[in-house]
Amino acid sequence: WDFDTDTVTENVTLYAKWEAIPTYTVTFNSNGGSDVASIAGLTGGAKITKPSNPTLEGNTFEGWFKNENLTREWDFDTDTVTENVTLYAKWEAITTYTVTFNSNGGTTVSSISGLASGSKIIKPTDPTKTGYTFAGWYKNTELTSAWDFENGTVTQDITLYAKWQAIPTFTVTFNSNGGSPVGSISVPSGSKITKPADPWKCGYSFGGWYKESALTNTWDFENGTVTQDITLFAKWQ
């Protein structure tokens, strides 16, 4: 019916004609990642609301792309749907690194693996080594550059090296003042002395070990520590 030219000359019925509005579906191909539901019923020219990012173990999600070659990224702010479309997820593998601890003769410290680039290292329990004090972990075998556990980050596989400082040892000599001999002992600095078996002397009773030949200050085996070479003197009664 032409409303501009057609005229009414009798009773007339006009019939409506309808044309279906086409709708489109957006399908998300996660390329091995977690599923993302399709969006159906979109009219031509509609924009897509960006879905929650999928996940894929060991990978970082890099966005949705219009082609399987992943060269043309979909812009959720400006791109519109004009046909059925499939979007493809792009992934980037997360590179991980291993930190190995070389104890340089001390007790074993386990390696830490699976660290993402930029990660910090949790300081392990200090190793031990007889006769030495642990002095930290170092980046190089020359032990000149210490690893900073507060600020240092891992960007490649690395080995850290233990530094040790020898604990000085001192000699404790026992002067029995005429009694049976008591052997000398060597002990690390700061150590206590294990009390030796009492010497004996015919006609006398042993009265203890003293710090000086004048026998005025007894050695305290419970609390006293050795910080230099010393001689202890037996007292007799």
Side-chain angles (χ1 to χ4, degrees), residues 160-189:
L160 298 181
Y161 302 87
K163 183 175 183 178
W164 299 99
Q165 292 177 334
I167 300 173
T169 58
F170 298 110
T171 299
V172 180
T173 304
F174 297 93
N175 184 332
S176 294
N177 276 327
S180 58
V182 176
S184 298
I185 59 173
S186 293
V187 296
S189 177

Side-chain angles (χ1 to χ4, degrees), residues 174 176 179-183 185 193-200 206 208-209 221 234 236:
F174 297 93
S176 294
S180 58
V182 176
I185 59 173
I193 307 169
T194 300
K195 188 177 184 294
D198 293 345
W200 59 271
F206 179 65
W209 292 104
F221 285 93
W236 299 101

Side-chain angles (χ1 to χ4, degrees), residues 22 29 82 87 96 175 177 213:
N29 182 333
T82 58
L87 298 182
T96 60
N175 184 332
N177 276 327
S213 58

Side-chain angles (χ1 to χ4, degrees), residues 103-185:
S103 293
N104 279 328
T107 53
T108 300
V109 176
S110 299
S111 299
I112 302 174
S113 59
L115 292 169
S117 181
S119 297
K120 295 181 180 180
I121 308 170
I122 296 174
K123 187 177 185 294
T125 302
D126 292 345
T128 59
K129 185 177 181 181
T130 302
Y132 293 84
T133 299
F134 178 67
W137 292 104
Y138 283 73
K139 303 175 189 177
N140 55 339
T141 55
E142 297 80 14
L143 306 176
T144 56
S145 180
W147 180 268
D148 183 352
F149 285 91
E150 292 294 328
N151 302 299
T153 57
V154 178
T155 57
Q156 59 184 347
D157 291 333
I158 60 171
T159 298
L160 298 181
Y161 302 87
K163 183 175 183 178
W164 299 99
Q165 292 177 334
I167 300 173
T169 58
F170 298 110
T171 299
V172 180
T173 304
F174 297 93
N175 184 332
S176 294
N177 276 327
S180 58
V182 176
S184 298
I185 59 173

